[in-house]
Amino acid sequence: MIRSVVRGFGAALPKRVVTNQELESKVDTSDEWIVQRTGIRQRYIAGEGETTASLGEAAARAALDNAGLTAADLDLIILATSTPDNTFPATAVNIQNRLGMHHGAAFDVQAVCSGFIYAVTTADAYIRGGLAKRVLVIGAETFSRILDWSDRTTCVLFGDGAGAIILEAQEGEGTIADRGVLTAKLRSDGAHREKLYVDGGPSTTGTVGHLKMEGREVFKHAVGMITDVIEAAFEATGTTAEDIDWLVPHQANRRIIDGSAKKLGIPLDKVVVTVDLHGNTSAASIPLALNTAAADGRIKKGDLVLLEAMGGGFTWGSVLIRW
């Protein structure tokens, strides 16, 4: 059986760090309020010249270096983003060109905070289908540019950044002992679209728009939806929460992360948390967290790693990977 094995990983963050204390001087909020409700203490905000493409390129180069590969070794680039550099062409094509890659293909995937899960699932399908041998999967966002900085309920939550992994086709035995992607589960339900959305777009307003969110409604649905796709992953592989070495969730809110882990019976010391450092970076949050935990030695070769996310749409999904 062909498996999609993680060959390399990398990440990139903007230069500027914005603390909760700095936001206190701009909107009616406090460090205590933000930390208590979200767990966020700081976030990175893109400055002049820093874009989704530039951050994505930097993360891609870091992943290629980690893997000991070059762009010539890639067949495909999939970028998960909700904040592209342009309406078109795809920002993935921009990154492809920046890397000096003039072969293969590149495209964007848009599933908001679940984007990286959708992109990994798509890459795995390409690899298992024999359409690609190596796929660069990137999650990159500049969410700061779609925020209403006068809205204290949303502007404190989000940040910018990029993370990337390289998936490579390798032979497996077809068991859960194989390295690589073992299963992926995707869901969506457009009935919830108005609970988390951007109030603009080329076809409607002709503007970029700003992020709008019904925070309580998102929170209410999050834990149940996340649990749904994780339990589906367990059923598909015959695994249980006890088998998981690391849970790497979408970094939106510490209370959602803790609530999901508790409901699933996964100890908090097996959960990778970076929301305090990065805030919610949408499609970039899982690869940023993966990079952090793999770089510091927590995630090791052979570990069973569970990824999960929920985002606007609503979209949600899980991926189970043996590192």
Side-chain angles (χ1 to χ4, degrees), residues 193-207:
R193 63 173 297 278
E194 292 187 358
K195 294 180 175 69
L196 178 55
Y197 69 103
V198 169
D199 63 353
S203 178
T204 52
T205 64
T207 64

Side-chain angles (χ1 to χ4, degrees), residues 17-253:
V17 177
V18 175
T19 63
N20 291 346
Q21 287 81 2
E22 183 176 341
L23 289 178
E24 286 177 342
S25 66
K26 296 181 178 181
V27 292
D28 182 15
T29 191
S30 69
D31 173 64
E32 181 183 13
W33 187 91
I34 297 169
V35 172
Q36 184 182 46
R37 285 163 176 77
T38 70
I40 299 168
R41 297 183 182 277
Q42 64 173 45
R43 71 286 295 146
Y44 291 78
I45 301 297
E48 186 177 354
E50 291 178 318
T51 69
T52 296
S54 70
L55 292 169
E57 177 197 1
R61 290 188 182 279
L64 286 167
D65 287 345
N66 179 259
L69 300 171
T70 70
D73 299 309
L74 302 173
D75 301 305
L76 176 65
I77 298 173
I78 304 176
L79 169 68
T81 189
S82 297
T83 50
D85 280 25
N86 302 95
T87 301
F88 72 83
T91 302
V93 175
N94 189 342
I95 294 172
Q96 179 191 31
N97 185 57
R98 286 167 173 259
L99 294 174
M101 178 179 166
H102 304 291
H103 65 279
F107 59 84
D108 292 356
V109 168
Q110 215 284 48
V112 202
C113 300
S114 307
F116 188 74
I117 297 291
Y118 273 62
V120 168
T121 303
T122 304
D124 180 51
Y126 268 81
I127 288 171
R128 288 187 295 107
L131 300 176
K133 291 184 178 179
R134 291 195 190 95
V135 183
L136 171 62
V137 185
I138 309 168
E141 302 281 16
T142 46
F143 250 57
S144 62
R145 290 178 178 145
I146 57 170
L147 297 178
D148 176 355
W149 285 95
S150 66
D151 180 3
R152 67 172 185 162
T153 65
T154 56
C155 74
V156 302
L157 303 178
F158 296 90
D160 304 330
I165 62 172
I166 295 170
L167 292 175
E168 180 180 80
Q170 293 185 18
E171 289 280 350
E173 296 296 323
T175 72
I176 62 167
D178 289 349
R179 289 184 64 209
V181 175
L182 301 179
T183 191
K185 301 297 178 183
L186 301 180
R187 305 274 195 272
S188 67
D189 185 351
H192 302 288
R193 63 173 297 278
E194 292 187 358
K195 294 180 175 69
L196 178 55
Y197 69 103
V198 169
D199 63 353
S203 178
T204 52
T205 64
T207 64
V208 173
H210 291 112
L211 183 145
K212 303 292 181 182
M213 181 173 70
E214 297 178 16
R216 290 181 182 177
E217 285 294 309
V218 174
F219 188 92
K220 185 173 74 175
H221 286 85
V223 173
M225 288 178 168
I226 290 164
T227 303
D228 161 51
V229 287
I230 289 177
E231 289 178 344
F234 288 158
E235 183 178 352
T237 56
T239 55
T240 68
E242 293 182 358
D243 298 312
I244 301 302
D245 294 300
W246 294 103
L247 172 64
V248 185
H250 168 50
Q251 307 289 316
N253 182 299

Side-chain angles (χ1 to χ4, degrees), residues 14 39 43 53 63 106 182 193 198 205 216 232 255 266 269 282-283 288 291 312 314:
R43 71 286 295 146
L182 301 179
R193 63 173 297 278
V198 169
T205 64
R216 290 181 182 177
R255 290 193 295 170
I266 298 175
D269 60 4
S282 190
L288 278 170
N291 179 81
F314 287 146

